[in-house]
Amino acid sequence: MSSLTCTNLTIFTLTGVLIQIIGLSLFVFGFFPVKPALSGFSGPEAFRAPRSDSVQNHSMALPPPDKLRSLYQELSGLPPFDKLILMVIDGLPAEFVLGKDGNPPRRELVEAMPYTQSLLANGMAIGYHAKAAPPTVTMPRLKAMVSGAIGGFLDVAFNFNTQALLDDNLIDQFFKIGWKMVMLGDETWLKLFPGLFKRHDGVSSFFVKDTIQVDQNVSRHLPDELSRYDWDLMILHYLGLDHVGHIGGRNSVLMAPKLMEMDEVVKMIHTNRILNQMNNHGRTLLVVVSDHGMTENGNHGGSSYEETDSLALFIGLNDVSRFESFSQKTVDQVDIAPTLALLFSLPIPKNNVGILIPETFGHLADDQKLRALELNSWQLLRLLQAQLPGLSCEGFPYHESIDKTSGISKCNGSLETKFCCLYTTAEFLHNSWMSKDVSRFNHGDEYNIAVGAYNEFLRIASEWLARRATDKPFNLLGFGVAAMVLSCVILLSLLCLMCKEVYGRERKYVSNFESNIMHAWHLDEAFAIGVIFILVVSMGSSSMVEEEQYIWHFVSSTLLLLLLRKSAQYLQVERAQNIFNLFSGKNKYIGFQTLSIVLLLISGRILRGWHQGGVNWRDLPDISKWLEQAGGDHLLKALQLVAGLLFITLSLVSLSVFDLNRKSVAVIGFCFLTPGLLVLQHIMKHQDSMFAPSSYTATMLVQIIYTVLGFATLGITVALPWLSSCLNSKSFSNRFSYESASGPDELCYKPLLVEFRNCSFVIGWAYICSWCLLQLLLQQPINSMPILLLFLQVLVGMLYCFHSGEDNKLWVEVAVFYYMGMAGHYALGNSNSLATIDVAGAFIGISSHSTILSGILMFMITYASPMLAALSMVMYISIKSCNYIALPINMDSKLLLKKLLGFPCLLLLSLNSILLVSYTIVLILMRNHLFVWSVFSPKYLYVCAATVCVYIGVSIVATTVIYTYLVLSFKRTMQGFGSSATTKDKE
């Protein structure tokens, strides 16, 4: 590899990227596998004590549904309820109903649900804060409630493509005993349990613009269904409250009306089916639950208290009058599954890790309560035996050392010994109480001691099963990490070789003094590399991962300050000549550099203060909160319009400053002025309808914008290199080359380079403008001004790079754009929590739900700033090519292309590769950390998505530049053949 040709560079780069993709895939599927589950379904064996040598009975034939139902009731020894209504209010925080920290909910929330509050106050309902496990998205939370199992972390991705649930669960158990089931609401239930519902009417859960029809579609069936008695289970899944949160946050003006609507549904069900049970149709239990909570801005997916605070409300139980209305009783969301299973005399699902909720069995006799605890203990013991093959409690001696007041046994030893000790103690106390052989206990309530022993075993077993790390195939992880390390080494080696070759060949074009300046190390270059070490070190701290935005804002602003210092040093050298005329003579380049950096620092500081960002300090005041509180929707709409108008003006001005043919500039500018005006029209006419489902007119307008932008950008990219001569003006201005050039006549020797410069500038401009227009359309209204500032940063950065000449290394300038792009990512309100993903914007312009299209829009919104920084590299390459127009005629054009294209692409890939490898190693080291699933794993998903963003950006830049160069070279070759043929004809 002594001579790195363009072909070799391309092949080795693609090889490195391919190896990285393979390694990343191996690691992701090794570290985030779907958690192993016991196959089959629980049957009659669930009501018998487990034995280590017992034969699995799930493959044995079961009796018909009616007989199986009676068999389960007989074996369980528990009187079951007859019918169940499961009402899911998507996204409802338990705090809205039960209050927080022992205090009641806010007054407007209490007034919004008067009937539900009266049930709690009168002891006719029991409410719990049901803690949901991350990721707090709908599909894995529903699985947890019906199976009692905590799913794999990658369920956050499967949430958008739900597959049938094959593990043991309550819905299938109900179906096996012949229950007729009805489902109304979120179609996720239909995907999880296809073919099990007698009647159903599903609605999409992802079209968040709909806050009205999505719930009316459920409630319109309710009066008819409540009058029927041909069903045993009815599931109602209301989505409107979750959609209100996504659009307007917790404090949305639509939140109280939506709670009133839900309260009316509870009232209708309670008065029609629970209070009116004099018709010999059995007892009905109403369970109101929520799958997750929501943050202040209405999003969810992370592990904060606001997101995991879900509701579990039981209505229709007896003897709960002593339960406090605003009790802070907390259970786990997985506890719902065993509780419902035992309340309806069903086998507890095999993979359940939850424990029953004691207060819900208050209507049972003491022996029945102990029976419920025993059944729960048997199920957990079977799961422990599956996880710990050496666990066998048969013949285990009874442990004498127990607390006679609590029943807690002081069990020590190995894990297997401890579990068997706790279990056998509880069983012994239970049997002793049942046989009344309690003479050894002279103090305390023997029943309570037995209950305490069961609770101790259940608690410890449940906690261990819930937090137990999934067995990871370390050979797969090792191959994945090795492949990513190899890829990183390849990319960094290519970058180093290219630096050595390109800068080595340039020495013959410059003087010895300029060569020493070019190859000397400066403070900004050292810091640009030091940033990598800062980022790598910070990854090992969970707090720094949560507040990563501070690091990016710090490194980007510090690097800009170092560049400002560098410009000031050059300015001192020229001070004696022209200090009072900063923008004339040689000082004008330094003057423009200084002005550019000052503008970048000012815009960066505004972006820094726009969103507080992060996880722990989001409640602190910032510019966005101040604007939302000060002016409301009208101010945000005005801000959007101002940002849109300024963006259109700046984009047209930036296109006209380049020395191009005016007619061509007018045509290209008009192609992008049209969608810009359409975006302004959409803001003016349809921005006020954000709380309502998108109208047909608004959807069509957005689709027209998508179409016009797509065709305009693609058309310019494909056609412009073939029509490059149309861009050439009659004379080329000297402002695009240093004054050291021999003169404008020299340009005639390099028409290929000039045409390449013009085409890549216009195409890069088209990419940037199209991307920013899309962001003005898709982003939240409060982010319109940050989008304008990010666009301004790109233009000002180009101005700086144009006037910097060879003062800076190319890789330093590319690093500046990369760092500013990452700082802008957090300035738009993003963080390393899944809760900050903007779901609402992912459905703009989509008439019906499409997982692929919504996923693409969600990705575009989340990575708006990093992708903008990557796309700007096309314009950057054009700007830097201006500095080489004045070089000698024998300058190798392929070497120039390799330098101009290779540095941006390789540097972006190398920086991302270093961060990817580093965080992969950190994730392995933190695999047993307390916050591995709540902090480090979500961050890794963001790292993977950022890697995809870099791949896409680099692919677009490389394809565009290579295509442009090849077309122009082909045209130049054909023109040469034509000239030769003409000359021969004349001869």
Side-chain angles (χ1 to χ4, degrees), residues 696-839:
Y696 175 79
T697 305
T699 301
M700 283 299 300
L701 180 58
V702 175
Q703 291 176 353
I704 292 174
I705 295 173
Y706 291 159
T707 304
V708 174
L709 273 178
F711 277 106
T713 306
L714 184 62
I716 288 176
T717 303
V718 174
L720 195 60
W722 298 97
L723 306 173
S724 57
S725 58
C726 299
L727 294 176
N728 296 334
S729 60
K730 294 181 179 179
S731 62
F732 296 106
S733 175
N734 284 339
R735 68 177 180 270
F736 296 108
S737 61
Y738 280 100
E739 291 183 356
S740 61
S742 59
D745 293 338
E746 193 177 32
L747 298 179
C748 64
Y749 298 105
K750 300 182 179 179
L752 174 62
L753 187 57
V754 173
E755 290 186 354
F756 174 79
R757 177 202 67 177
N758 294 342
C759 289
S760 56
F761 177 84
V762 175
I763 294 174
W765 176 88
Y767 283 160
I768 295 172
C769 291
S770 299
W771 188 254
C772 289
L773 278 176
L774 283 176
Q775 297 305 322
L776 287 174
L777 184 66
L778 297 175
Q779 292 279 347
Q780 294 289 334
I782 196 64
N783 281 342
S784 57
M785 194 57 67
I787 293 296
L788 175 65
L789 292 174
L790 291 174
F791 177 69
L792 179 64
Q793 280 192 332
V794 171
L795 296 182
V796 173
M798 296 301 166
L799 180 66
Y800 171 81
C801 295
F802 175 75
H803 289 96
S804 66
E806 289 297 314
D807 294 340
N808 298 322
K809 299 288 195 304
L810 287 180
W811 61 267
V812 174
E813 293 178 345
V814 176
V816 171
F817 280 100
Y818 180 81
Y819 298 157
M820 289 194 303
M822 291 304 301
H825 171 71
Y826 294 98
L828 290 174
N830 296 298
S831 72
N832 289 326
S833 170
L834 299 177
T836 53
I837 296 177
D838 183 9
V839 179

Side-chain angles (χ1 to χ4, degrees), residues 905-922:
C905 295
L906 270 178
L907 186 67
L908 292 178
L909 290 172
S910 298
L911 285 174
N912 180 80
S913 182
I914 293 173
L915 298 179
L916 176 63
V917 171
S918 302
Y919 198 76
T920 300
I921 296 174
V922 168

Side-chain angles (χ1 to χ4, degrees), residues 27 72 96 119 154 329 352 409 512 667 704 772 778 977:
F27 181 84
Y72 283 163
F96 283 11
L119 293 178
L154 284 186
K329 192 73 175 180
N352 164 72
S409 178
N512 291 333
V667 173
I704 292 174
C772 289
L778 297 175
F977 288 153

Side-chain angles (χ1 to χ4, degrees), residues 169-209:
N169 63 84
L170 293 178
I171 305 301
D172 278 295
Q173 291 287 359
F174 281 128
F175 185 79
K176 288 179 182 297
I177 63 173
W179 270 30
K180 308 299 181 183
M181 296 179 284
V182 176
M183 199 292 300
L184 306 172
D186 188 356
E187 62 182 9
T188 303
W189 290 94
L190 301 178
K191 296 177 181 179
L192 286 173
F193 310 104
L196 299 189
F197 297 103
K198 180 179 182 179
R199 290 186 298 273
H200 58 81
D201 190 0
V203 296
S204 174
S205 61
F206 297 106
F207 199 71
V208 299
K209 295 288 287 183

Side-chain angles (χ1 to χ4, degrees), residues 289-596:
V289 297
S290 60
D291 50 352
H292 50 74
M294 64 175 66
T295 60
E296 287 299 322
N297 59 4
N299 290 328
H300 54 87
S303 58
S304 67
Y305 172 81
E306 290 77 11
E307 297 164 86
T308 59
D309 182 34
S310 63
L311 176 69
L313 189 65
F314 295 84
I315 302 174
L317 299 171
N318 299 323
D319 191 23
V320 295
S321 59
R322 292 172 293 177
F323 197 83
E324 298 180 7
S325 300
F326 304 117
S327 171
Q328 293 304 298
K329 192 73 175 180
T330 301
V331 298
D332 290 322
Q333 195 174 61
V334 291
D335 297 341
I336 296 175
T339 300
L340 290 180
L342 295 174
L343 286 174
F344 288 89
S345 297
L346 289 176
I348 300 175
K350 281 189 173 184
N351 297 289
N352 164 72
V353 298
I355 58 179
L356 59 83
I357 304 173
E359 292 83 2
T360 59
F361 295 87
H363 61 286
L364 301 181
D366 289 348
D367 59 332
Q368 293 173 332
K369 294 177 183 177
L370 285 175
R371 175 60 173 168
L373 291 170
E374 182 180 47
L375 292 174
N376 197 177
S377 299
W378 288 351
Q379 181 268 320
L380 288 184
L381 183 60
R382 286 189 178 90
L383 193 57
L384 287 173
Q385 290 174 342
Q387 300 284 354
L388 299 170
L391 178 64
S392 176
C393 298
E394 293 183 32
F396 191 87
Y398 163 67
H399 200 282
E400 295 287 346
S401 178
I402 70 169
D403 189 326
K404 296 182 180 180
T405 59
S406 64
I408 298 177
S409 178
K410 300 175 183 178
C411 297
N412 299 311
S414 65
L415 196 62
E416 291 84 353
T417 301
K418 185 176 181 179
F419 282 136
C420 284
C421 173
L422 292 171
Y423 169 73
T424 54
T425 299
E427 281 288 292
F428 173 80
L429 294 173
H430 182 189
N431 294 332
S432 296
W433 182 84
M434 291 292 292
S435 63
K436 305 302 180 181
D437 183 16
V438 292
S439 58
R440 69 180 66 197
F441 300 114
N442 298 321
H443 303 284
D445 187 341
E446 294 79 9
Y447 166 77
N448 291 332
I449 294 175
V451 170
Y454 269 126
N455 287 334
E456 180 70 3
F457 168 74
L458 291 172
R459 180 184 62 83
I460 294 179
S462 175
E463 290 177 355
W464 184 84
L465 289 168
R467 69 170 181 263
R468 180 175 183 267
T470 304
D471 291 334
K472 298 177 176 62
F474 282 97
N475 55 346
L476 197 63
L477 298 182
F479 283 124
V481 174
M484 285 187 277
V485 171
L486 176 61
S487 170
C488 185
V489 171
I490 292 175
L491 295 174
L492 289 175
S493 300
L494 290 174
L495 186 61
C496 294
L497 286 174
M498 198 176 67
C499 287
K500 181 179 179 180
E501 180 181 350
V502 171
Y503 287 124
R505 290 189 181 184
E506 285 186 351
R507 291 181 180 179
K508 60 184 179 180
Y509 300 128
V510 297
S511 64
N512 291 333
F513 175 76
E514 290 173 332
S515 178
N516 293 332
I517 294 295
M518 182 183 299
H519 294 277
W521 277 83
H522 298 277
L523 187 58
D524 57 294
E525 298 170 15
F527 183 78
I529 294 180
V531 167
I532 301 174
F533 295 98
I534 295 175
L535 292 169
V536 170
V537 171
S538 67
M539 288 178 177
S541 168
S542 61
S543 298
M544 296 305 296
V545 170
E546 291 178 325
E547 309 300 333
E548 188 179 352
Q549 75 279 358
Y550 295 118
I551 300 175
W552 287 109
H553 288 300
F554 166 74
V555 299
S556 59
S557 59
T558 302
L559 186 54
L560 289 174
L561 286 173
L562 293 177
L563 293 176
L564 181 63
R565 172 183 176 273
K566 188 176 183 179
S567 300
Q569 288 177 335
Y570 288 144
L571 181 62
Q572 291 176 5
V573 175
E574 303 292 341
R575 179 174 54 186
Q577 299 179 8
N578 214 344
I579 192 171
F580 295 107
N581 197 354
L582 191 60
F583 296 98
S584 64
K586 288 187 176 181
N587 267 348
K588 71 178 182 180
Y589 301 111
I590 301 173
F592 278 112
Q593 289 182 43
T594 305
L595 178 61
S596 301

